[in-house]
Amino acid sequence: VLGTPAVLYDISGVVNTEFHWIEVGVILLIYVLLMLVLGSYFTPIRSLATIMMGVVWTLGVLQLIFGDEVTWLIPLILLVICLGLGMDYDILLTTRIREGKVRGMSNDIAIRDSLMRSGGIITLCGLIMGGTFLTLLLSGSVMLKEIGFALGFAILLDSLIVVPYVVPALMHLMGDWSWKGPKFLQRRSEGQS
């Protein structure tokens, strides 16, 4: 069998087999970088879990709306872009909480302060980025509609629900466990304040 359908079928097979390695690689890289930046073992796990939660919810809603015809490339695009963009919003809030803790605030006061200082910025950025992706729904191409919906929905979900509500709630529940990490990273973080 020759032609574009055969080539696309072969490409989708390669992507599907390599997707798991890409997924694991991206998650490990982000975990290590966040651990080094935040000086914590558990906050990077919470960050990755909340972003993956948004990706899973988005894939579920995408399947409900577009049915079984969802393009095979969408999960890979969604994962990589959402890990990047969602992590930006999460890191902005989390580093503000960390700054408050280093300045001597209690965990809950640091969370409240960071939400007041960063919540509006995160919401505005999410509305702009999500709205921009949702304009792809005006396309005649089903694949562009799927990409636009998936990315727009995921970013709006992350910036309007996950980061301003789920992340602070989990940070509150984790308490001081949010900041447990290697001693050398703890000293470095405290020395920078």
Side-chain angles (χ1 to χ4, degrees):
V1 178
L2 299 172
T4 304
V7 170
L8 287 176
Y9 179 78
D10 290 342
I11 292 171
S12 73
V14 169
V15 168
N16 285 335
T17 57
E18 293 178 357
F19 177 67
H20 301 295
W21 291 109
I22 292 169
E23 186 177 40
V24 169
V26 167
I27 288 171
L28 285 175
L29 177 66
I30 289 173
Y31 176 81
V32 169
L33 290 174
L34 285 178
M35 185 183 70
L36 293 173
V37 169
L38 298 172
S40 169
Y41 295 123
F42 303 110
T43 297
I45 293 170
R46 193 264 320 135
S47 293
L48 288 164
T50 54
I51 290 170
M52 292 304 291
M53 178 179 62
V55 169
V56 169
W57 288 352
T58 300
L59 286 172
V61 171
L62 187 70
Q63 198 76 27
L64 285 173
I65 292 174
F66 289 94
D68 292 334
E69 301 301 315
V70 173
T71 306
W72 53 270
L73 195 56
I74 303 291
L76 178 62
I77 292 171
L78 187 63
L79 175 77
V80 172
I81 292 178
C82 285
L83 278 172
L85 287 173
M87 199 56 70
D88 284 350
Y89 303 145
D90 192 288
I91 287 173
L92 177 60
L93 185 67
T94 304
T95 54
R96 289 273 170 104
I97 295 170
R98 177 76 177 146
E99 289 168 4
K101 286 289 291 174
V102 168
R103 287 193 317 252
M105 294 180 184
S106 72
N107 194 52
D108 290 342
I109 292 173
I111 291 169
R112 191 176 312 118
D113 181 64
S114 67
L115 274 172
M116 289 189 316
R117 291 176 41 204
S118 303
I121 295 167
I122 292 168
T123 300
L124 179 62
C125 289
L127 287 171
I128 292 169
M129 185 65 76
T132 302
F133 280 122
L134 287 175
T135 61
L136 291 174
L137 289 171
L138 301 174
S139 170
S141 165
V142 174
M143 186 168 94
L144 285 179
K145 286 182 181 182
E146 290 175 0
I147 291 171
F149 176 80
L151 294 175
F153 182 83
I155 290 167
L156 290 174
L157 177 69
D158 195 52
S159 63
L160 299 176
I161 296 172
V162 175
V163 172
Y165 296 105
V166 177
V167 168
L170 290 174
M171 296 290 284
H172 165 75
L173 292 173
M174 290 169 61
D176 288 336
W177 282 96
S178 296
W179 311 114
K180 301 286 185 203
K183 294 291 183 199
F184 73 95
L185 291 176
Q186 297 293 320
R187 275 187 245 114
R188 189 191 66 162
S189 296
E190 292 165 8
Q192 289 175 349
S193 62

